Amino acid sequence: MPFTPPPRIPSGPRRRTLLASATGAALLVGCSAAPEDTGGGTSGTPSPAQRVRARAARDSTDLAGRYDAVLAVHPSLAVRLAPLRAETVRHAEAFGGRPAGSGVPRSPSASPTGSPTGSPTGSPGASPVVPTDEKAAVALLAAAEKELADRRTQALADVDGELARLLASVAAAGAAHVYLLTTEAAG
């Protein structure tokens, strides 16, 4: 029996495969980098990452407003709450939010009734209801911090990269705020 060599099989990918891969990679790189880097994309619709970032900035700004409202009703809590509020303002700025004021409450007379019936997170722009009892006011802040930290943890599934790391870090800081607010309130 004569030995016949097998037909020549190319050892690597074919030229057409390489060209198609290179073209596809160029399209992917061009499409994926632009929306997150630009202000709003070409179609005017923000990317999921931009929406998460904008909401995180808005939520941190609103939370700083809640701290302001509590501090307006309970100035004796300033030493305890000022560092947490300052960190919340830094979070808003890190997400690209406009810097919050230097402690000016959104509504200085934020319903200082004894009724803690307001939602811990409230609606954006609404004046939070601040209880006249200091412990109840701090508990309201803790509930708002917890809800926000939980929401940010869930939003991690929608983003990746640097934004995911920032979101995770701020969610962890929010959980630490909850701990500080609840342990000091108990003591």
Side-chain angles (χ1 to χ4, degrees):
M1 273 202 200
F3 178 73
T4 57
R8 185 170 182 260
I9 299 174
S11 61
R14 294 185 166 186
R15 188 178 324 159
R16 281 180 278 195
T17 305
L18 286 175
L19 287 173
S21 297
T23 304
L27 287 173
L28 284 175
V29 169
C31 291
S32 65
E36 189 169 324
D37 293 340
T38 64
T42 57
S43 65
T45 312
S47 71
Q50 289 170 323
R51 286 191 300 271
V52 168
R53 182 180 291 275
R55 179 161 187 184
R58 197 172 47 248
D59 287 345
S60 289
T61 301
D62 289 346
L63 185 58
R66 291 187 159 282
Y67 275 98
D68 289 340
V70 169
L71 289 169
V73 175
H74 302 288
S76 61
L77 293 173
V79 170
R80 181 175 168 196
L81 299 181
L84 301 177
R85 184 208 176 271
E87 192 167 309
T88 301
V89 170
R90 284 192 299 274
H91 295 163
E93 292 169 352
F95 286 117
R98 59 178 195 262
S102 59
V104 179
R106 203 176 339 164
S107 174
S109 60
S111 302
T113 65
S115 169
T117 59
S119 163
T121 56
S123 59
S127 297
V129 176
V130 178
T132 55
D133 177 52
E134 285 185 1
K135 286 188 180 200
V138 170
L140 198 65
L141 282 175
E145 286 271 16
K146 180 177 181 347
E147 190 274 333
L148 187 53
D150 291 346
R151 188 174 345 133
R152 286 179 172 160
T153 301
Q154 290 175 347
L156 285 171
D158 299 332
V159 296
D160 59 358
E162 190 61 33
L163 181 56
R165 286 186 284 280
L166 177 61
L167 201 59
S169 176
V170 173
H177 288 188
V178 172
Y179 174 78
L180 291 171
L181 291 167
T182 56
T183 56
E184 289 179 18

